[in-house]
Amino acid sequence: MTEAKKTPLLDELEKGPWPSFVTEIKKAAANSPSAQDLLGQLELSYEDKRGHWKHGGLVGVMGYGGGVIGRYSDIPEQFPNVEMFHTIRLNQPSGWYYNTKALRQICDLWEKYGSGLTNLHGSTGDLVLLGTRTENLQPFFDEVSNLEEHPFDLGGSGSNLRTPSCCAGPARCEFALIDTTDLCHDLTNEFQDYLHRPMWPYKSKIKISGCPNDCVASIARSDFSIQGTWRDDIKIDQEAVRAYVAEGFDIQGLVIDKCPTKCMSWDGNELTIDNANCTRCMHCINKMCKALRPGDDRGATILIGGKAPILQGAMMGWVIIPFMKLEPPYTELKEFLEKAWEWWDENGKTRERIGELILRLGMRNFLRAVGLEPVPQMVNAPRANPFFFWWPEETVQD
C-alpha cells in the first residue's frame, strides 16, 4: 500500500456542517490502496491547480460500446494504485428503488474488483462505481450481470442514449400523474441497442417527472423531458378552500397573487379558476393540496432541448407536444422519439445536441421531419420572438 500522505487542502473540505466526500474516501483508504492514492492525487491537483486525470482509451466489456468511462493518471509513477481508475455505470432501477440485498451484492463485488468507492447517483442517474483496472472490467460485469437475484446491466455513456431516469412516481408521491417507473422501465428495455452502442452525434437523455413539480429537474437536464400533466379542469373543494381561509391562510398573498397567469380569483367565499389560461404550474395545488387536485384526464407534456453548458451554454427544454396520453405500450411516444433521433442523426454535427440542432436549422424543419403541426405552446420565448416562419406553400397571399 502507498504510504499515507498528509492532505491539508482536502482536509479543508471536511469542515462545515455538511457530509464530505473526503471523509468517505479516507474511510475507504483504510482498506483500499487505490482510495489512498486517490487522496494523494487529489491533494496534488489542488496544489498544482490542475487535474491529473486524463480521459480516453477504449475500455469496456464484450458486446457493449458504452457503460465504462476510461480514466488514467498522468503521474502513475507517484500514484501507481490509480494508474487506471475506470468508472463503471450500472443501469439503476426505475425510481432508484433498491433493496438492501441488491446493494450489498454490488458493494461486495466492487470491493473485490474495484476501489470500493461508489457514487449514488451520477447526474445521468446511473449507479456509478469509481475506480478499477482494465483487466477487472469483464470479470466484474460477468458477475454483476449474472447475479442470481437482482442482476444489473450497464448504463449508458458516450454518444448514445443515456440511461433513462425518472422520479419516485406513484409508489411514493400523491402528485404523480403518470406511472413514471413503468414508463422508464419500458423505454429502457425498448431502446437497449441505443443505450449500449454509441451511434449518434452526441448523447441523448430522457428524464421523466410524474408532475410539473419536476423533482428530477428533467426540463434542465434532458433532451427529452416527459412531465405528467392534465388537460381538464383543476378539481376544487370549495369547503376545503374556505377551511384554509378560516384557519388564517393568506389565499390572496400566497396563491392568487403568485399565479403566473393570474387565472385565479377569490371573492371571499369561492375560488374561481380560468382553466383555459392555467399553465399547470402546480403552485396553487402545492399550497392548498387539501382543496385543489389535478384533473382526471391525465397524460404528459413532452419538452425537448434541455442540456448542460458544454457547447452553446445551458438550455432549458421547451414544449414540443403539449399533451400526450401516455399508456402502455407507449407507442405514440416511441414513434416520436424514433423520428426525432433519426432527424438528429442525419443532420447533427459531432457533439451537437438535438436542441442545438433545432436552433441551427429551425423549428419548422424539425416539425416537418417528425410530422407535428405547429401549435402556440411550442414557442420557446414568446415575449421575445412570437413568430413562426411558415413554409411558403402553407401561406395564403392576398
Side-chain angles (χ1 to χ4, degrees):
M1 181 180 294
T2 302
E3 182 182 355
K5 294 179 173 58
K6 293 184 178 180
T7 55
L9 296 177
L10 289 179
D11 294 346
E12 291 293 315
L13 300 178
E14 294 184 279
K15 298 177 181 177
W18 302 281
S20 169
F21 72 96
V22 175
T23 302
E24 300 306 314
I25 297 177
K26 286 181 176 177
K27 292 178 183 176
N31 301 307
S32 170
S34 57
Q36 195 170 108
D37 273 9
L38 176 63
L39 284 171
Q41 179 163 312
L42 282 175
E43 180 72 16
L44 185 61
S45 295
Y46 277 84
E47 292 175 4
D48 295 346
K49 294 183 172 55
R50 73 178 186 89
H52 283 288
W53 296 115
K54 54 180 183 181
H55 295 261
L58 295 175
V59 290
V61 300
M62 290 290 291
Y64 287 72
V68 179
I69 303 166
R71 181 172 288 117
Y72 300 87
S73 171
D74 67 358
I75 44 176
E77 63 283 355
Q78 294 186 52
F79 303 103
N81 294 303
V82 292
E83 176 187 8
M84 305 173 194
F85 204 71
H86 309 316
T87 293
I88 294 178
R89 289 178 175 172
L90 292 184
N91 191 331
Q92 83 285 357
S94 291
W96 301 290
Y97 290 108
Y98 300 91
N99 63 27
T100 53
K101 182 173 183 178
L103 290 173
R104 286 194 179 95
Q105 288 180 149
I106 293 171
C107 290
D108 289 344
L109 286 176
W110 197 236
E111 287 183 347
K112 179 180 178 182
Y113 291 108
S115 68
L117 298 171
T118 64
N119 176 10
L120 277 73
H121 292 86
S123 59
T124 292
D126 300 295
L127 198 168
V128 177
L129 306 178
L130 300 165
T132 192
R133 298 182 62 83
T134 304
E135 60 268 26
N136 289 338
L137 293 172
Q138 190 66 49
F140 170 79
F141 176 68
D142 290 343
E143 287 202 40
V144 80
S145 62
N146 287 290
L147 290 169
E148 187 173 344
E149 287 186 63
H150 315 300
F152 280 80
D153 200 353
L154 290 188
S157 69
S159 296
N160 60 4
L161 174 63
R162 298 299 177 83
T163 314
S165 66
C166 66
C167 69
R172 291 188 63 192
C173 181
E174 62 178 323
F175 288 142
L177 302 171
I178 55 174
D179 190 340
T180 57
T181 52
D182 180 70
L183 176 60
C184 185
H185 184 70
D186 191 296
L187 293 179
T188 302
N189 288 332
E190 179 75 18
F191 299 119
Q192 282 284 300
D193 280 351
Y194 301 160
L195 188 63
H196 292 148
R197 296 169 184 82
M199 62 181 80
W200 289 337
Y202 202 21
K203 57 190 171 185
S204 182
K205 297 183 177 181
I206 298 172
K207 297 192 186 301
I208 308 163
S209 288
C211 77
N213 282 326
D214 195 14
C215 293
V216 293
S218 64
I219 191 173
R221 301 169 58 235
S222 61
D223 303 89
F224 296 95
S225 166
I226 302 167
Q227 297 186 11
T229 189
W230 68 97
R231 60 180 171 183
D232 53 349
D233 294 347
I234 294 176
K235 294 189 287 188
I236 307 174
D237 182 340
Q238 298 289 357
E239 287 297 327
V241 174
R242 285 189 279 271
Y244 268 100
V245 177
E247 293 173 1
F249 181 74
D250 180 11
I251 189 171
Q252 186 66 40
L254 296 177
V255 176
I256 307 297
D257 291 346
K258 293 186 181 301
C259 175
T261 60
K262 309 300 180 188
C263 71
M264 309 181 75
S265 60
W266 168 249
D267 64 3
N269 184 55
E270 287 202 349
L271 179 68
T272 303
I273 301 176
D274 176 9
N275 283 277
N277 284 311
C278 170
T279 56
R280 278 66 172 166
C281 75
M282 292 283 292
H283 174 74
C284 59
I285 296 174
N286 291 333
K287 299 299 290 186
M288 305 173 67
C289 55
K290 295 179 181 177
L292 302 177
R293 305 298 293 179
D296 293 324
D297 189 7
R298 300 176 176 185
T301 295
I302 315 299
L303 301 97
I304 194 167
K307 59 179 278 295
I310 296 179
L311 289 186
Q312 293 190 16
M315 292 169 54
M316 301 282 278
W318 70 96
V319 172
I320 192 67
I321 301 176
F323 185 87
M324 179 183 287
K325 200 74 174 176
L326 276 184
E327 295 173 345
Y330 311 111
T331 303
E332 185 180 2
L333 174 62
K334 292 172 183 174
E335 289 178 350
F336 165 72
L337 290 171
E338 291 277 18
K339 291 177 183 176
W341 284 327
E342 182 179 356
W343 179 77
W344 172 54
D345 194 28
E346 289 182 353
N347 296 282
K349 298 178 180 179
T350 301
R351 294 175 67 82
E352 183 177 51
R353 302 281 283 271
I354 190 168
E356 295 166 330
L357 178 61
I358 291 173
L359 291 180
R360 181 166 63 86
L361 296 186
M363 176 61 85
R364 69 173 183 173
N365 281 294
F366 174 72
L367 293 180
R368 172 168 282 188
V370 298
L372 289 176
E373 293 293 325
V375 294
Q377 290 92 335
M378 293 174 180
V379 177
N380 188 16
R383 296 184 189 281
N385 179 8
F387 300 105
F388 176 85
F389 292 93
W390 298 85
W391 293 95
E393 64 269 25
E394 294 175 340
T395 61
V396 177
Q397 303 292 334
D398 293 330

